[in-house]
Amino acid sequence: MITVLAGGTGSVKLVRGLAARESDVRVISNVGDNYWLYGLYICPDIDTIVYGLADLLDPDRGWGVKKDTFNFLRQMEVFREETWFRIGDRDVATHLMRTNMLKNGENLSNITKWMCEKFAVGASVIPVTDNSVETRIITKEGELHLQEYWVKHRGRDPVEGIQYIGAEKARPNPEAINAIQDADTVIIAPGNPLTSIGPMLQIKGIKKELSRRKKDVVAVSPFIGNEAVTGPAAKYMQAAGIESNAYGLAKMYSDVCSTMVLDNKDRALAKKMRILEYRVLETKITMPNKQAEETLAAFIIKNAKTI
Ligand code: FO1
């Protein structure tokens, strides 16, 4: 059994590769970028993973449903509502159903299970907590929800800090704890370390359980050199005072992880990582197509247990 800690667009390709090769895959999903809009509860990371596994994810954007239309949003424009967050017509049905179930007293874990069933996803997708955790970005202009900072303001202002509101008190999902305890290998997907993986590591029970399994925890770097393969990870790492490369990541994950998968091009960083007592695996970490997703997944599964 393989357990993956995953965020959104940076993680879904590896999750898909693992699910194609393994029969029991459990995906612990970040909830820090969940967002309320028009009275709807939107869970981008959960949805990206579920759509990705259901082969419904838009491949160009990396979020939302492929070939979706935007009539709902056009009507919201008519109502003079803000429409900077591009919710598609099919996507909105997911948010409507989820919000309705929440209002009827269902928790996010069960709603996500329902979603996996409806989209015929075989892997388990487990929200890291059913409590509210909110990633907020601090800039000199003030504090913004991650979606407002990144999508509405297009990441315009320098990041001065990151906060995970609610993480401290959040109760880890018992199924997430079981998934970490029972896994042969736990993989930290190449998601944004501060906004996709970071909020989960701030939940005490999750961090404690991962550190207990440290020798079986493998992280996949989202960096090549000082740049993230996709997205704004480098910017957030610099803001947090962490080197924006695989070595900075290794230091950040050193309490919870003992194996780092990095790109062949980052071979020069391996020696420094070994000083931190990491086992280092070098391969090609970019996943431009489904074949590459499976190849990386197979590489990790094969090498995870060769100590
Ligand atoms: N990202 C954008 O850059 N622009 C959008 O308009 C946008 C809409 C959106 C709608 C639903 C959804 O599930 C995700 C969406 N995302 C959008 C992606 C999202 O902002 C982030 O990439 C994730 O939260 C990070 O994991």
Side-chain angles (χ1 to χ4, degrees):
M1 193 267 275
I2 302 276
T3 292
V4 201
L5 268 80
T9 48
S11 308
V12 64
K13 293 178 174 196
L14 180 62
V15 168
R16 213 159 38 197
L18 291 164
R21 307 217 40 124
E22 291 282 312
S23 57
D24 192 354
V25 175
R26 310 210 183 155
V27 187
I28 303 177
S29 172
N30 176 42
V31 297
D33 53 2
N34 293 1
Y35 191 60
W36 283 95
L37 186 65
Y38 318 128
L40 299 174
Y41 194 51
I42 303 166
C43 302
D45 284 356
I46 291 174
D47 296 349
T48 299
I49 297 295
V50 173
Y51 294 158
L53 290 170
D55 206 15
L56 279 173
L57 188 69
D58 186 283
D60 302 320
R61 293 192 301 258
W63 48 265
V65 176
K66 64 182 168 191
K67 299 199 175 102
D68 212 347
T69 49
F70 290 87
N71 296 310
F72 161 76
L73 218 60
R74 241 174 257 142
Q75 188 59 33
M76 293 309 271
E77 265 166 27
V78 174
F79 294 149
R80 299 268 183 267
E81 287 291 321
E82 290 190 29
T83 53
W84 51 268
F85 202 65
R86 312 285 305 156
I87 304 175
D89 296 336
R90 291 180 70 187
D91 195 25
V92 84
T94 300
H95 313 317
L96 259 171
M97 292 301 289
R98 174 190 292 127
T99 310
N100 214 14
M101 286 190 241
L102 276 176
K103 287 188 174 158
N104 288 330
E106 199 49 277
N107 63 32
L108 190 60
S109 304
N110 286 336
I111 297 169
T112 307
K113 265 185 213 152
W114 171 89
M115 217 181 135
C116 286
E117 251 172 63
K118 290 293 169 198
F119 286 109
V121 164
S124 311
V125 182
I126 306 166
V128 66
T129 176
D130 282 335
N131 303 139
S132 163
V133 174
E134 197 177 296
T135 303
R136 297 191 73 86
I137 305 297
I138 302 161
T139 72
K140 65 176 183 333
E141 301 296 328
E143 204 188 287
L144 294 169
H145 187 285
L146 173 71
Q147 302 298 354
E148 290 163 4
Y149 173 75
W150 182 244
V151 182
K152 184 175 182 183
H153 296 279
R154 297 175 192 275
R156 192 183 51 209
D157 290 323
V159 180
E160 294 191 345
I162 301 175
Q163 280 184 340
Y164 308 105
I165 309 290
E168 184 97 340
K169 292 208 177 113
R171 192 174 156 263
N173 188 337
E175 288 184 47
I177 298 291
N178 289 343
I180 296 171
Q181 285 173 345
D182 299 346
D184 296 307
T185 300
V186 179
I187 299 171
I188 304 180
N192 188 317
L194 284 157
T195 57
S196 296
I197 308 299
M200 298 195 271
L201 299 181
Q202 291 297 312
I203 299 174
K204 282 192 206 107
I206 297 291
K207 185 163 183 191
K208 191 162 129 202
E209 233 28 76
L210 283 172
S211 47
R212 283 200 182 130
R213 296 293 321 266
K214 178 173 164 169
K215 76 171 185 42
D216 299 307
V217 180
V218 179
V220 182
S221 169
F223 297 103
I224 299 181
N226 293 324
E227 294 300 327
V229 175
T230 57
K235 191 172 171 143
Y236 295 128
M237 295 285 272
Q238 283 151 14
I242 306 171
E243 267 178 71
S244 70
N245 58 25
Y247 180 63
L249 185 75
K251 284 201 279 190
M252 183 181 159
Y253 288 169
S254 64
D255 289 342
V256 295
C257 170
S258 63
T259 300
M260 180 68 68
V261 178
L262 48 77
D263 196 82
N264 291 317
K265 295 194 186 96
D266 279 341
R267 188 161 288 160
L269 297 173
K271 201 172 155 193
K272 287 208 291 183
M273 284 189 200
R274 289 193 186 104
I275 297 169
L276 296 177
E277 296 185 356
Y278 268 92
R279 191 162 69 101
V280 181
L281 303 172
E282 294 154 19
T283 188
K284 184 171 169 286
I285 61 163
T286 51
M287 292 168 278
N289 52 48
K290 292 214 168 130
Q291 182 57 50
E293 293 171 3
E294 282 194 48
T295 303
L296 181 57
F299 173 86
I300 298 167
I301 294 163
K302 177 166 170 268
N303 291 289
K305 289 275 182 190
T306 51
I307 298 177

